[in-house]
Amino acid sequence: MSVSLKNILKNYFAAFLIAVFIYTSNFLNTDLFNFGEYNFVVWFVLSIFCFASGWFINRQVGWHHGGKVLFAIIVAITILSLITVTFFSEYFGTNQIITENLILFSLRNITLGAMGFFGMAVQEVLSGEREAVILREKLKIYEDNIIDSKKEAELTLKEAEIKAKEILTDAEAQAKNIILKKERIERELKEFIQAEKELIKKYKDL
């Protein structure tokens, strides 16, 4: 049980962080398009945090499941933000032109959520490139192994051909020796028979 809880915290901690970052942005300056020095720094830091959270979400749970989780977070936090802003309109200073303010709050949440998606996309692309490099290296190794295997097979075939020729040559030499021995034995046998005949003839003449 503890291991399962540990895995859940490890896989979804970044998702929890990005939810906190998006919801916390509601308590900043409501003017999303005011690019003053202070606002720019704050939004830049929040965007970096959301980007990093999206990066870790994709790294831990993958693009498909992580995308569903992040989309659900954006929708849920946006709805929660609208409810919060509506009920505490005096605190957020949204008493006038409430619809436009709600749209602005929704836009800022969606913008930070999009930074999370951007972080996921960058991590996915880099991970894909890394896997492609690894696959290319593996393919190169396999090709080198195939070439080496072909060379070894060719060498083995040549060695087998050389041994076969040596065996054939030895067999032919042994066959010639046997034939020569046979011819010598036949010749000696004929000479022995001829000598015996002559000896018998001389014995009869006596």
Side-chain angles (χ1 to χ4, degrees), residues 51 54-55 58 63 70 114-128:
F51 177 89
W55 178 292
N58 192 75
W63 173 259
L70 183 55
M115 287 301 298
F117 274 113
F118 182 56
M120 290 182 63
V122 171
Q123 201 281 332
E124 183 72 15
V125 170
L126 293 178
S127 178

Side-chain angles (χ1 to χ4, degrees), residues 80-95:
L80 180 61
S81 299
L82 294 179
I83 293 173
T84 303
V85 171
T86 302
F87 278 95
F88 300 97
S89 58
E90 294 181 0
Y91 174 81
F92 290 97
T94 57
N95 292 323

Side-chain angles (χ1 to χ4, degrees), residues 11-30:
N11 292 334
Y12 296 100
F13 181 70
F16 173 76
L17 283 180
I18 198 170
V20 171
F21 292 144
I22 294 174
Y23 185 73
T24 304
S25 69
N26 295 316
F27 299 93
L28 301 176
N29 190 347
T30 56

Side-chain angles (χ1 to χ4, degrees), residues 13-150:
F13 181 70
F16 173 76
L17 283 180
I18 198 170
V20 171
F21 292 144
I22 294 174
Y23 185 73
T24 304
S25 69
N26 295 316
F27 299 93
L28 301 176
N29 190 347
T30 56
D31 191 356
L32 178 64
F33 301 104
N34 184 359
F35 289 100
E37 182 178 353
Y38 173 76
N39 287 337
F40 176 80
V41 171
V42 171
W43 279 104
F44 179 78
V45 172
L46 272 177
S47 299
I48 292 298
F49 285 157
C50 291
F51 177 89
S53 298
W55 178 292
F56 284 106
I57 288 173
N58 192 75
R59 186 175 180 180
Q60 292 299 122
V61 297
W63 173 259
H64 296 288
H65 184 64
K68 293 177 182 178
V69 171
L70 183 55
F71 180 77
I73 288 173
I74 294 171
V75 173
I77 295 300
T78 301
I79 294 173
L80 180 61
S81 299
L82 294 179
I83 293 173
T84 303
V85 171
T86 302
F87 278 95
F88 300 97
S89 58
E90 294 181 0
Y91 174 81
F92 290 97
T94 57
N95 292 323
Q96 297 178 351
I97 319 178
I98 185 69
T99 303
E100 292 183 4
N101 285 317
L102 291 178
I103 292 174
L104 285 176
F105 278 101
S106 300
L107 282 176
R108 67 200 296 169
N109 291 338
I110 294 171
T111 301
L112 293 176
M115 287 301 298
F117 274 113
F118 182 56
M120 290 182 63
V122 171
Q123 201 281 332
E124 183 72 15
V125 170
L126 293 178
S127 178
E129 289 182 355
R130 184 168 58 253
E131 290 179 359
V133 170
I134 293 172
L135 289 175
R136 282 197 294 269
E137 291 296 328
K138 287 184 178 180
L139 181 60
K140 185 178 179 180
I141 292 172
Y142 290 151
E143 290 176 349
D144 293 339
N145 289 335
I146 290 173
I147 293 173
D148 293 338
S149 299
K150 287 182 178 179

